[in-house]
Amino acid sequence: MALHLYNTLSKKRELFQPLRDKEVGMYVCGPTVYGHSHLGHAKSYVSFDVIVRYLRYSGYRVRYVQNITDVGHLLGDTDDGEDRLVKQSKAEQKHPMEVADEYTRSYFEDMDALGVLRPDISPRATGHITEQIEIIKTLLQKGLAYEGNGSVYFDVRKFHAYGKLSGRVLEEMESGKRVEIKSEKRNPEDFALWKKATPEHVMRWPSPWSVGFPGWHIECSAMSMKYLGEGFDIHGGGLENQFPHHECEIAQSEGATGKPFVKYWLHNNMVTVDGQKMGKSLGNFTTLKDAFKRWEPEVVRFFILQSHYRSTLDFSNEAVDGAGRGLARLRQTFQQLAGRIQTAPEGNEPHTISLDTYRSEFCKAMDDDFNTPQAIAVLFELGKEINGLIASGKPFGRGSLQEIDEVRKELASGVLGILEETIAPQSLNGTSEADLLGLIVEIRKDIRAQKLWGISDKIRDGLQKLGIVIEDTKEGAQWKKVT
RNA sequence: GGCGCCGUACCCAAGUGGUAAGGGAGAGGUCUGCAAAACCUUUAUGCGGUGGUUCGAAUCCACUCGGCGCCUCCA
């Protein structure tokens, strides 16, 4: 089965066929950097990270571009709206650019922790003002935009395909219901390409029309087309940006170039809390920095991947705790496998696991619009079989056991970004510590041989308090660290 | 008001025409000095409700109840 993905533009699952053979250009709307990232951001960027990883695993050369929005856009489309970056900079008594930098670093720190691979290009909106102005000039030349009082607006009525992504029809939109009609605008649906700056607006640039700043939507058109070409394969983003943001991107880009902008639109769904959207406006969000105090970032990542990217994911402590226990079990399986590999005899005494079946089942799930929950289920099935194999106590050859671990490296680490690249058999953290614990386990073994259970249990309980769990198995005691 | 989505066991969550994945939690068992882990078994004749189409529906259609998203910045 070849890769199929759900295209929001056609509202159908489509066979993935990139514009240029094995090359894929992909753009995802990045964060506006005026606050710490929350679980909603994590869902989005982890999802797209796995999509990029899987495309690469499938043999595509991907150029992944994700912007950083550091221009202060207005709340609303009115002149009295507040600039979010300016607002935050006042609160922190910093220059808006300091704020942008602070939260850009914070963003990457969180994403790195989550195992999200860095995009190939992370362009900043403020670094591409010239490109944005160029597009606006073209739109004016083509008569798709007009100027009024130093600001420039896109004339939505001139672009007949407007609404093709979101399914909106101009006539049916109740105009001006939530947006104040601006006198400069010909029609309430028109959106700003360039805004003349008010005196208090610090982030400002010269342009042919006024000293001002670009509209929100134009940055993504400018940066995506600069690095990926006028038409490219995949554009991703949050569902809430489908309208107006992505609809406007299409209008500007296709209006300016006359070419199809994006072939596949991918939209990820939201994290909810008690059924309600987690978002900045509702204030019901959990920042990643707070989440990481309770859970390892990998657990958060795993929790996210246990639901489909196009489904909402309901967040609760109980649900993430549950995901954490599941991941711990899976990790334990591979830790024990690693232990076996160390002590296994040379040679290839074969195991009975059909690794190719697991590989193909995993890919079948991922080929079906990146069904990560299904893919994880495949890994659990594999884990179950590995556990059975370990429990059987049969002496499999080292080479054949390593083959099994290869699957973990490939699918779990490589594609899903869970279960780190190398798993130490007993999570050892420096040799001296491991030697020390080995000695304790050895002494305890002698104590147990004398059936001095009290002392034996005292050692085990004491170690547990230090975060080290002793497990007595048929093959002797094993220890592992718990966090 | 317009556009759209969702409702699957105690919790999270796959499944879009062929007879309910997976994880967590719970129960029983094997093993064990005990514990933990692991392994085996088990937990929805049922997929919000009511009709309909079909040999067959969680899946398609209609109606209905409940929840949510977008239309203002938001991943």
Side-chain angles (χ1 to χ4, degrees):
Chain A
M1 184 177 160
L3 175 61
H4 286 70
L5 40 79
Y6 183 86
N7 188 353
T8 319
L9 193 59
S10 63
K11 295 178 177 56
K12 285 194 195 97
R13 205 166 290 218
E14 295 179 21
L15 175 68
F16 180 61
Q17 288 177 303
L19 298 167
R20 287 173 299 273
D21 194 31
K22 289 303 240 182
E23 311 258 311
V24 175
M26 176 161 157
Y27 184 90
V28 169
C29 288
T32 305
V33 281
Y34 68 103
H36 292 299
S37 304
H38 56 73
L39 284 163
H41 297 96
K43 175 164 163 65
S44 181
Y45 300 120
V46 165
S47 297
F48 287 115
D49 178 54
V50 169
I51 287 171
V52 170
R53 285 165 179 257
Y54 187 65
L55 287 170
R56 287 183 178 143
Y57 178 75
S58 303
Y60 293 106
R61 240 189 89 209
V62 182
R63 180 182 288 174
Y64 179 26
V65 180
Q66 188 192 98
N67 65 296
I68 295 287
T69 298
D70 57 355
V71 176
H73 295 298
L74 298 185
L75 294 160
D77 213 4
T78 54
D79 274 346
D80 54 339
E82 244 183 316
D83 175 316
R84 289 166 289 151
L85 265 166
V86 168
K87 191 180 170 191
Q88 189 64 30
S89 74
K90 279 178 188 159
E92 297 190 22
Q93 297 196 316
K94 288 175 176 168
H95 188 280
M97 217 51 184
E98 278 184 281
V99 171
D101 254 272
E102 177 188 352
Y103 292 111
T104 300
R105 279 194 296 273
S106 166
Y107 169 72
F108 282 120
E109 197 178 288
D110 293 341
M111 293 303 128
D112 289 349
L114 283 167
V116 172
L117 302 176
R118 295 281 181 113
D120 299 302
I121 305 174
S122 301
R124 287 171 157 244
T126 51
H128 297 76
I129 301 293
T130 315
E131 288 83 349
Q132 298 180 59
I133 288 173
E134 285 308 310
I135 295 177
I136 299 169
K137 278 187 192 164
T138 307
L139 291 172
L140 280 166
Q141 275 162 22
K142 290 196 171 186
L144 291 166
Y146 57 90
E147 188 193 340
N149 192 29
S151 293
V152 183
Y153 296 92
F154 189 93
D155 192 342
V156 166
R157 264 145 233 268
K158 297 266 174 67
F159 186 76
H160 298 294
Y162 192 79
K164 70 175 175 181
L165 179 70
S166 58
R168 267 157 234 264
V169 183
L170 282 181
E171 292 69 38
E172 287 172 0
M173 284 169 62
E174 218 169 299
S175 310
K177 181 161 183 176
R178 298 178 73 182
V179 184
E180 291 288 313
I181 298 169
K182 279 273 300 162
S183 54
E184 293 154 17
K185 283 201 207 176
R186 287 183 193 164
N187 290 293
E189 304 82 24
D190 294 348
F191 56 90
L193 295 168
W194 187 264
K195 296 279 284 183
K196 184 179 173 180
T198 51
E200 62 269 20
H201 206 100
V202 189
M203 307 269 269
R204 48 168 67 200
W205 294 266
S207 80
W209 315 288
S210 64
V211 173
F213 54 97
W216 173 38
H217 315 298
I218 195 72
E219 62 173 86
C220 285
S221 292
M223 293 188 278
S224 61
M225 291 197 289
K226 171 160 184 169
Y227 299 111
L228 298 173
E230 291 183 341
F232 58 94
D233 301 294
I234 297 174
H235 189 127
L239 199 57
E240 75 279 3
N241 279 336
Q242 190 180 343
F243 188 88
H245 185 53
H246 294 155
E247 194 70 65
C248 295
E249 272 189 58
I250 293 175
Q252 295 161 346
S253 309
E254 299 193 349
T257 66
K259 296 174 188 162
F261 178 45
V262 169
K263 191 166 181 189
Y264 303 97
W265 283 89
L266 267 43
H267 288 96
N268 76 281
N269 219 316
M270 292 152 295
V271 174
T272 56
V273 184
D274 297 323
Q276 274 208 318
K277 174 186 175 180
M278 178 182 283
K280 283 181 180 169
S281 31
L282 273 170
N284 61 345
F285 58 89
T286 303
T287 66
L288 290 168
K289 296 191 194 307
D290 281 340
F292 295 162
K293 288 175 191 162
R294 176 166 179 146
W295 303 287
E296 284 179 60
E298 191 184 4
V299 169
V300 174
R301 182 180 179 102
F302 185 72
F303 170 67
I304 287 165
L305 294 176
Q306 270 194 310
S307 85
H308 189 96
Y309 78 94
R310 284 195 296 111
S311 301
T312 54
L313 171 60
D314 206 43
F315 167 79
S316 67
N317 289 342
E318 190 190 357
V320 186
D321 285 345
R325 279 190 287 268
L327 177 65
R329 228 188 96 216
L330 203 55
R331 184 189 282 129
Q332 161 121 340
T333 295
F334 285 103
Q335 280 176 341
Q336 293 199 329
L337 178 67
R340 277 311 187 84
I341 288 172
Q342 276 200 334
T343 57
E346 291 297 332
N348 283 298
E349 185 58 36
H351 58 77
T352 49
I353 302 179
S354 171
L355 296 176
D356 284 342
T357 306
Y358 284 104
R359 274 194 184 91
S360 69
E361 284 299 307
F362 183 94
C363 290
K364 198 173 139 195
M366 292 301 288
D367 278 343
D368 183 14
D369 196 28
F370 312 104
N371 193 334
T372 54
Q374 193 67 54
I376 287 172
V378 172
L379 292 183
F380 272 104
E381 298 287 344
L382 173 63
K384 203 169 178 177
E385 233 188 303
I386 294 170
N387 283 332
L389 184 141
I390 291 169
S392 76
K394 288 179 191 159
F396 300 100
R398 181 175 298 174
S400 69
L401 293 180
Q402 277 167 339
E403 276 175 25
I404 301 174
D405 202 46
E406 278 305 312
V407 177
R408 187 209 95 233
K409 287 182 188 164
E410 229 176 275
L411 306 182
S413 307
V415 176
L416 297 180
I418 54 166
L419 302 179
E420 54 276 23
E421 191 57 40
T422 46
I423 291 189
Q426 295 171 324
S427 305
L428 37 90
N429 201 3
T431 329
S432 56
E433 190 185 7
D435 289 346
L436 191 62
L437 275 155
L439 181 64
I440 293 171
V441 167
E442 193 61 31
I443 293 167
R444 182 167 169 274
K445 185 181 164 192
D446 295 341
I447 292 169
R448 294 181 77 237
Q450 294 175 47
K451 299 193 192 295
L452 299 169
W453 308 125
I455 300 170
S456 162
D457 288 353
K458 194 172 176 180
I459 293 170
R460 187 174 61 194
D461 295 346
L463 284 174
Q464 179 143 30
K465 278 176 191 154
L466 301 173
I468 290 150
V469 173
I470 298 286
E471 288 171 359
D472 295 310
T473 68
K474 273 183 186 168
E475 285 84 33
Q478 297 222 326
W479 63 269
K480 65 176 180 184
K481 276 187 158 184
V482 288
T483 45

